[in-house]
Amino acid sequence: MRNKTGVPGQGRVSADVAAFTRKVGAMARPMGAHDGRLLFALDATMSRQPTWDLAVSLQAEMFRAIPKDSGLQVQLLYFRGFGECRASKWVVDANALAKLMTGIACQGGNTQISKVFAHARSEHAKRRINAVVYVGDAIEENFDDLAAKAGQLGLLGCPMFVFQEGRDTRVEAGFREFARLTKGAYARFDASAPQELAALLKAVAAYASGGKDLLKLQGSGQAQALLAQLPH
C-alpha cells in the first residue's frame, strides 16, 4: 500500500523486512556453529530529532523481524547528551532491543563516533563482528583521529556500513572514508522515504548473516550499490 507520496506504507515495509529476515535466517544456519553478529550504532544527538521517530520505527521493526533461529545476533549502541554512550547485550530475540529503541529520546551533545570505533574494536576482539552499521548526520570530532581508528577496524576485518542522514558534503566525505578504511560501504538515506532505509538494513542483515554471497541474492538497488563498494 502506498501513501500519497508514493512511499510504501509502514505495514508493507515491516512485512517485507520480516519475510527477508526469515529467509536470511534459513540460509544462515548451515554456515556453522558461529552465528553472525551485527553491531548497530546510532547517533541520538539533538540534530537528528526531526526525523528520529521515523528512523527509530523502521530500525525497531528491523529488530523485531529477526527470528529467534536466524543465527544473527544484534547489539545496539547509541550516544547522546553529555558523554552518554550505551550498549545493550548481544541478543537473538530482538524484542528487548526494539523496546529500548522506541524509548530513546534525542538529547543535545556532540558526536561520539570515537567511542563507537573503540567499542567495535573491543567487541570484535572478544568475538568476530560480521558488520557494523552506523547511522548519523554529523562529525564533530577530529577527523584524522577517527580515520586512524577506522583503519584499525579495517585491519581487523570488521567492515562498517555507514548510513548518512542529510546532505552535508563534509560529513559525506568523512563517512565515505570510514567505510573505505574498514572495507565496508557508504549510503545516504532520506528519512522521508522509509523504504530506502528498510532496504539498506535488509541488505546489511544479509551480509552479516551470509557475507557477500547472500548479499548478491538481494535484488534491491540498495543492496547492489553496497555490494559494488565491497572489496572483491
Side-chain angles (χ1 to χ4, degrees):
M1 179 173 63
R2 290 179 178 267
N3 57 27
K4 293 181 180 180
T5 64
V7 175
Q10 180 64 46
R12 176 59 184 274
V13 172
S14 300
D16 288 346
V17 172
F20 173 85
T21 51
R22 281 195 296 270
K23 180 179 178 182
V24 167
M27 298 183 71
R29 285 192 297 274
M31 291 180 60
H34 296 291
D35 298 334
R37 297 213 303 169
L38 172 66
L39 173 62
F40 202 106
L42 300 168
D43 177 343
T45 56
M46 193 59 72
S47 64
R48 297 200 63 215
Q49 184 62 56
T51 54
W52 178 258
D53 290 342
L54 174 59
V56 165
S57 68
L58 287 172
Q59 293 157 3
E61 288 296 330
M62 179 66 184
F63 288 133
R64 289 193 183 99
I66 298 172
K68 294 182 180 180
D69 59 352
S70 68
L72 179 63
Q73 296 185 23
V74 182
Q75 183 183 63
L76 172 66
L77 174 69
Y78 69 94
F79 60 79
R80 64 181 183 177
F82 185 70
E84 180 182 0
C85 185
R86 298 186 180 184
S88 72
K89 296 180 179 179
W90 288 97
V91 298
V92 176
D93 180 1
N95 288 331
L97 284 183
K99 183 178 181 180
L100 174 60
M101 289 189 68
T102 56
I104 296 173
C106 294
Q107 295 181 0
N110 293 327
T111 62
Q112 301 177 56
I113 303 172
S114 177
K115 291 183 180 179
V116 173
F117 288 139
H119 180 80
R121 181 175 180 178
S122 175
E123 288 294 317
H124 189 75
K126 299 174 185 175
R127 181 177 163 190
R128 181 185 177 190
I129 296 175
N130 300 85
V132 177
V133 170
Y134 178 75
V135 181
D137 67 346
I139 300 175
E140 297 166 329
E141 300 156 80
N142 182 280
F143 174 75
D144 289 336
D145 290 344
L146 292 177
K149 292 182 178 181
Q152 293 171 358
L153 287 180
L155 292 174
L156 293 172
C158 184
M160 287 189 69
F161 292 80
V162 188
F163 298 155
Q164 179 188 0
E165 181 180 355
R167 294 185 173 275
D168 186 312
T169 55
R170 186 186 69 85
V171 173
E172 177 180 348
F175 282 3
R176 284 187 179 276
E177 185 67 359
F178 299 157
R180 184 189 70 82
L181 289 168
T182 62
K183 300 179 177 64
Y186 161 90
R188 179 190 291 114
F189 76 93
D190 181 353
S192 67
Q195 80 279 13
E196 291 289 321
L197 182 57
L200 290 167
L201 293 175
K202 289 189 287 185
V204 176
Y207 180 83
S209 296
K212 289 191 292 184
D213 289 341
L214 188 54
L215 183 56
K216 290 177 182 177
L217 298 179
Q218 310 314 310
S220 71
Q222 291 84 357
Q224 297 307 310
L226 294 179
L227 181 62
Q229 297 180 56
L230 296 174
H232 297 291

